[in-house]
Amino acid sequence: VLDCRAERDPAAGRLVSEDQLAWAVDRIARSDATFVLVVSSVHVTDHADRYAPDDVTGRWQGFPAQREALLAAASSRPGVVFVTGDMHYGGIQWVSPAGALGADQVELAVGPAGAQPWAVSAWLAAHGGVPDQYEALVDTWSVTLLELVPAGVDEGPALRVRYLDDAGRLLVARSFPA
């Protein structure tokens, strides 16, 4: 779990301290877990110029050197999944567009459970359409359930993600095998 608020310093070009980044990179590299969940309060996805292009200091995209170091670590081993919030929608998205570092890394954007939902699907449709980088978008009140399925159970080992609306109805479901 990364603290992307307390150490943020746009003037110094950092979202997290160098110590925290080094710790995260080391933990990713040394983990022997089937899945490594990297939890960040802000998105890792490169949203290009789709969202607030003049102010990217509220997400990893605004700190390219630190984002690249984190993605290099994540790309060096299988099973790394980013779990993030803050953008007021839920979704399954690829961290970078095809051909870029992070294109094979999935980000599970969670929420909104407690903040006004952002109608991101309609917004993207009005601004050129939904890029292939976004596999599923949930722009209503929702909760995200993650389930780690051990080897020998169902299709395990796997990571299952389900997005449910506030009445408990399934909106999106996806399973990621190890």
Side-chain angles (χ1 to χ4, degrees), residues 90-102:
I92 300 169
Q93 53 204 32
W94 302 99
V95 171
S96 299
L101 179 64

Side-chain angles (χ1 to χ4, degrees), residues 83-84 89-92 108-113 138 141-147 160-165 172:
V83 181
T84 65
Y89 74 87
I92 300 169
L108 304 174
V110 301
V138 177
W141 297 107
S142 63
V143 63
T144 308
L145 300 176
L146 300 177
E147 180 183 12
R160 290 184 192 147
V161 59
R162 290 180 290 160
Y163 293 84
L164 307 174
D165 70 10
V172 174

Side-chain angles (χ1 to χ4, degrees), residues 8 10 48-49 51-63 87:
R8 185 180 305 176
D49 59 357
Y51 313 128
D54 296 332
D55 182 15
V56 292
T57 60
R59 54 189 185 266
W60 284 91
Q61 183 179 341
F63 305 91
M87 297 282 284

Side-chain angles (χ1 to χ4, degrees), residues 22 35 42 90 95 97 104 108 123-124 132 158 173:
F35 290 99
V42 298
V95 171
D104 60 343
L108 304 174
W123 191 92
L124 284 169
D132 292 341

